[in-house]
Amino acid sequence: MKDFIKFTFASVLGVVLAGIIFTILGIVTMVGMVASSDTETVVKENSIFILDLEGTLSERVQDNPFQTLMGEENQAYGLDDILASIQKAKDNEDIKGIYLQTAFLETSFASLEEIRHALLDFKESGKFIVAYADQYTQDMYYLASVSDKIIVNPQGSISWHGLASQPIFFKDLLKKVGVEMQIFKVGTYKSAVEPFIATEMSDANREQVTAFLSSIWERLLEDVSASRNIPVETLNKYANEMMDLQPAETYLANGLADTLLYKDGVLDYLKEISGREADESLRTLSLEDMKNVKRNTPLDKSGNIIAVYYAFGGIDDSTSPEEGINSEKVIKDLRKLREDETIKAVVLRVNSPGGSAYGSEQIWREVVLLKEKKPVIVSMGDYAASGGYYISCAADYIVANPTTLTGSIGIFGMFPNMEELLTDKLGLHFDMVKTNKFADMGTLARPFNSDERAAMQNYINNGYKLFVKRCADGRGMSVEAIEKIAEGRVWTGATAKELGLVDELGGLNKAIEIAAQKAEVEAYSLLTYPSKESFFSSLMNEGKSNYIEGQLMETLGEAYPSIKFIQNVKDMDRIQARMPFDLRIQ
C-alpha cells in the first residue's frame, strides 16, 4: 500500500511539474513571438523584397496568433500592408528591387489595380521588378505585366483567355427540400435575388454583367498593352487562342514573357542584378519582414492628422472571419473622428457589396454629420455597391478604381416560405389565434397573403425612394437623373465616373491626396482606424475562431463564400441593399 501511494504521488507530482514546465515554455514562446513581431527589421545592402502572393487578399488583415503558434505561414494578405511595404522598398536605398512571385491570389481586379499602381510608382525609383511563376493565373499575369522582366518556367504557362462570370442558382435545390423564397424588390437589374427564384440570368442581369465584364476586360487589355507594348487587338487575339494551353516558347514569341528559366536560374539571375556573387546567398525580405522595416520619412510635427477609416465586408452581416461592417461600431468610431479636432479630414475606405438597408442608413447619417465638421473623401476598393454606395454617397468626393464595382442602387427583401418542408415533408401542422390582421405576418409556416405582400412591397418601395433621394442629395443630382442609372444596376468605376456617381479614378493614395487638399493642410500625419488588435488581444478574443475559419477558407476555396452565406442567412436583415451575393469573375 505504501508503494502504491508513493508511486501515485510521484506520478501526480510528475504531471504537475510537466504542466508547470510546459506552461512556462508556452509563455516564454509567446513572449518571444510578441517580441520578435515588434522587432525592427534590419535591411542589409543589396537586399531584394520578395512579394510572394499565394492565398487571399483583404483590405486589412489582423495577424492571427493561433496561426503563429501553429508555425504556419500567413496565407491572408492585407492590401494596406502590401502597399506600405512597396513604398518602404522604394524609399530604402539598400533594397535593390522587388521579386514578384505569383501563384494564386483570391481577390478582385480593383485591388490588383492598386498594387499595380504602387509597383509602377516603385519603378520610378529606377529599381527593378522581376516576376516569376510556374503557372501565371490571368489576374496574376495582369499584375506581373508591370515587371521589367517576366520569367516563365520552361514547362509553365500563362493564363490569358478573357473574363467570364458564372453565378450559381439555388431555386431547384430549394424546391427539392420544400422551401420557396418570397421576393420583394425594386430595380430591374437587382439581381441578388435571382439565384433563389430562377435557374438562369434574366435578360437585364445578362446585360449588366456583359457591360461591366467588358469594361473590366478593356481595362486589363489597356494596362497590359501599355506595359508589354502589345496592341490591344493582338492581346484579344491571344485570348481567343487560349494561351493557357500553349507551350512556354509561345509566350516568348508573342511577347507575353521575356525568358524561360527554372527556379535555380531565377535565383542566379536575382543574384546578378542585385550585386551578389554567385557563391553568395541572396539577401531577401518577406512581406512580414517589410512590415517591421522603419519608414524613412520623419514623423510629422504639425499635429494635423488625416484619418483613413476602413469599412469593408458585408454591412451588419459578415461573410469572413476578418471582415464585416458593424453599423453600431462604425457609427461610434466616426463620431469619435468627428469630435477629434486634431483630425482634419477623413478618408472612408469602402470595400463592401452592401447588406442591411437599415444599417446603411445609420452609417449614412453619421457620414453626413462628419462632413459638417471636416472633409470626407471616399476611396472605393473592389466593391462599393448597393449599401456600400449608400454609405458613400454623402461624402464630399468619391474616388474609385476603374474596375471597382459600384452603383447597384436598389433594395430587396427575401423571406422563406417553408410550408411544404414543415407540413408535407416533416409532418408538422400549425394553428393560429391572433388579435389583429397582421399579427402572424412573417411566419415560416405559410406564404404571405395578398395584403401582406402589398404591405411589404410598399415598404420596399419607400426604402428605394429614400435610397435614391440620399444619392441625389449627396451627388447634387436630381432624383430623376439618379433613377435613370439606378434600378439596381452595377457599374464599373470607369462608367460610374461618366455617369456622375464617382468624381475621380484612382486608388487610396489619390483619395488621401485630395483629402489633404480639401482640408488645406500641407503637413500631416496619416493614421488608420480602427486600430488593429495586439497579439495578446487577438489571442484572447477571437484568434481561435478566426484561425478555424481561415482554415475553412483555405480548404474550401471558391466554395467558401456560398457555404458561409447559407450559414449567415438566418442572421441577416431581411431588407437588403446589396449586390449579387456570389459574383464570380474568372
Side-chain angles (χ1 to χ4, degrees):
M1 186 67 180
K2 289 182 180 179
D3 289 340
F4 172 76
I5 294 174
K6 184 165 54 177
F7 286 129
T8 302
F9 177 76
S11 299
V12 171
L13 182 61
V15 170
V16 171
L17 289 174
I20 293 172
I21 291 170
F22 280 117
T23 300
I24 293 172
L25 287 174
I27 293 172
V28 170
T29 300
M30 285 194 290
V31 170
M33 288 177 176
V34 174
S36 63
S37 67
D38 293 333
T39 302
E40 182 182 325
T41 299
V42 176
V43 181
K44 299 178 180 179
E45 289 183 346
N46 300 329
S47 293
I48 297 175
F49 171 27
I50 299 181
L51 187 51
D52 190 354
L53 299 176
E54 182 176 12
T56 59
L57 181 69
S58 301
E59 281 291 324
R60 303 174 87 196
V61 170
Q62 173 68 50
D63 290 335
N64 194 305
F66 275 88
Q67 196 168 43
T68 304
L69 292 171
M70 294 292 184
E72 298 180 4
E73 293 184 8
N74 188 11
Q75 297 298 309
Y77 305 93
L79 178 62
D80 59 337
D81 290 329
I82 291 176
L83 298 180
S85 296
I86 293 172
Q87 183 62 49
K88 285 188 282 189
K90 177 186 176 183
D91 295 338
N92 194 303
E93 61 183 15
D94 290 321
I95 297 177
K96 299 303 179 184
I98 292 177
Y99 172 43
L100 188 61
Q101 188 165 268
T102 61
F104 171 79
L105 193 63
E106 183 74 27
T107 185
S108 297
F109 287 106
S111 288
L112 292 179
E113 273 191 291
E114 295 253 14
I115 299 174
R116 200 173 187 280
H117 289 154
L119 291 172
L120 283 169
D121 179 66
F122 174 85
K123 290 177 69 174
E124 294 296 321
S125 66
K127 300 179 181 183
F128 66 80
I129 300 178
V130 173
Y132 169 81
D134 297 313
Q135 287 88 31
Y136 287 91
T137 61
Q138 186 168 255
D139 50 357
M140 287 293 94
Y141 180 75
Y142 168 67
L143 182 61
S145 65
V146 73
S147 304
D148 300 294
K149 186 178 288 291
I150 295 180
I151 305 172
V152 186
N153 188 287
Q155 300 304 315
S157 64
I158 293 176
S159 291
W160 191 253
H161 48 255
L163 300 179
S165 179
Q166 185 180 37
I168 298 176
F169 295 88
F170 305 102
K171 178 186 176 182
D172 286 350
L173 172 63
L174 293 172
K175 185 177 180 181
K176 287 180 186 294
V177 298
V179 176
E180 173 200 19
M181 298 307 293
Q182 302 171 100
I183 303 299
F184 304 87
K185 69 166 186 168
V186 178
T188 305
Y189 297 91
K190 201 65 181 173
S191 59
V193 299
E194 287 189 359
F196 304 94
I197 58 173
T199 57
E200 61 182 13
M201 291 183 185
S202 65
D203 291 340
N205 189 26
R206 190 175 300 277
E207 176 191 348
Q208 76 169 341
V209 172
T210 299
F212 69 65
L213 274 186
S214 298
S215 179
I216 295 172
W217 180 238
E218 287 173 9
R219 181 67 182 184
L220 266 63
L221 289 171
E222 290 171 2
D223 286 347
V224 174
S225 174
S227 293
R228 298 301 300 173
N229 196 27
I230 303 173
V232 167
E233 296 77 10
T234 304
L235 287 171
N236 254 327
K237 174 177 174 291
Y238 292 161
N240 289 329
E241 294 172 355
M242 189 60 172
M243 287 293 105
D244 309 48
L245 305 179
Q246 300 296 329
E249 291 76 14
T250 305
Y251 310 132
L252 298 184
N254 60 25
L256 291 177
D258 298 299
T259 189
L260 306 180
L261 290 174
Y262 287 101
K263 191 64 174 288
D264 60 300
V266 176
L267 298 178
D268 290 339
Y269 176 69
L270 291 174
K271 288 180 183 179
E272 178 186 336
I273 61 176
S274 65
R276 302 291 288 168
E277 297 296 331
D279 59 348
E280 293 180 313
S281 60
L282 279 171
R283 289 176 174 169
T284 60
L285 297 160
S286 68
L287 182 60
E288 289 301 312
D289 294 328
M290 291 299 299
K291 289 180 186 179
N292 295 323
V293 171
K294 185 178 179 181
R295 291 181 181 272
N296 285 344
T297 52
L299 185 65
D300 178 71
K301 305 294 185 181
S302 67
N304 298 326
I305 296 172
I306 290 181
V308 178
Y309 188 89
Y310 286 87
F312 56 105
I315 299 175
D316 287 339
D317 50 70
S318 175
T319 56
S320 162
E322 297 175 332
E323 297 185 5
I325 298 174
N326 181 297
S327 59
E328 290 188 10
K329 182 180 186 308
V330 172
I331 289 168
K332 290 178 182 178
D333 289 346
L334 294 183
R335 184 181 302 128
K336 290 178 181 178
L337 297 181
R338 168 163 53 97
E339 294 170 350
D340 189 337
E341 294 183 359
T342 63
I343 295 175
K344 305 304 180 184
V346 175
V347 174
L348 182 61
R349 174 69 174 186
V350 179
N351 195 341
S352 173
S356 165
Y358 178 83
S360 300
E361 166 74 7
Q362 307 316 303
I363 297 173
W364 168 86
R365 170 63 178 170
E366 195 58 44
V367 172
V368 170
L369 295 176
L370 179 62
K371 189 175 72 168
E372 292 175 357
K373 289 291 187 71
K374 57 200 68 177
V376 179
I377 312 301
V378 162
S379 170
M380 294 181 169
D382 297 320
Y383 310 95
S386 205
Y389 192 79
Y390 202 134
I391 68 176
S392 302
C393 65
D396 293 289
Y397 207 79
I398 296 178
V399 181
N401 285 296
T403 58
T404 294
L405 295 181
T406 187
S408 193
I409 301 168
I411 287 181
F412 68 89
M414 186 164 61
F415 303 84
N417 166 28
M418 302 174 67
E419 181 179 35
E420 183 180 346
L421 171 63
L422 297 174
T423 301
D424 298 346
K425 296 184 182 296
L426 299 181
L428 299 176
H429 296 271
F430 303 85
D431 204 348
M432 181 66 63
V433 175
K434 58 183 181 179
T435 60
N436 295 87
K437 181 178 180 180
F438 294 103
D440 63 333
M441 180 176 174
T443 176
L444 300 178
R446 64 168 177 81
F448 279 38
N449 60 41
S450 58
D451 288 339
E452 291 168 337
R453 294 190 67 86
M456 180 55 65
Q457 187 61 55
N458 183 62
Y459 182 74
I460 297 294
N461 292 346
N462 290 336
Y464 178 70
K465 290 177 182 177
L466 180 62
F467 191 174
V468 169
K469 186 178 187 305
R470 298 301 188 221
C471 294
D473 292 344
R475 299 305 299 162
M477 300 169 65
S478 67
V479 168
E480 293 74 21
I482 291 292
E483 286 177 337
K484 289 179 181 178
I485 55 179
E487 290 285 337
R489 180 155 183 172
V490 178
W491 307 98
T492 61
T495 307
K497 182 178 182 299
E498 297 173 2
L499 298 173
L501 295 176
V502 166
D503 294 298
E504 191 164 338
L505 299 179
L508 179 59
N509 287 337
K510 171 58 70 174
I512 293 170
E513 177 187 322
I514 293 169
Q517 292 172 357
K518 289 192 175 292
E520 298 181 346
V521 294
E522 295 183 2
Y524 59 88
S525 295
L526 194 67
L527 296 182
T528 58
Y529 300 86
S531 58
K532 294 183 180 181
E533 289 184 327
S534 67
F535 182 94
F536 280 116
S537 296
S538 181
L539 181 66
M540 298 304 293
N541 292 335
E542 299 186 23
K544 183 177 179 181
S545 61
N546 284 358
Y547 173 76
I548 294 171
E549 294 258 5
Q551 295 301 302
L552 285 173
M553 289 176 66
E554 186 175 342
T555 302
L556 297 173
E558 293 183 356
Y560 177 82
S562 297
I563 294 172
K564 186 65 178 177
F565 164 70
I566 293 172
Q567 177 186 339
N568 286 347
V569 163
K570 65 181 185 301
D571 299 321
M572 285 184 175
D573 188 334
R574 290 294 181 256
I575 308 302
Q576 293 278 308
R578 97 164 31 236
M579 64 180 293
F581 287 108
D582 188 15
L583 183 62
R584 296 164 178 262
I585 298 178
Q586 60 188 43

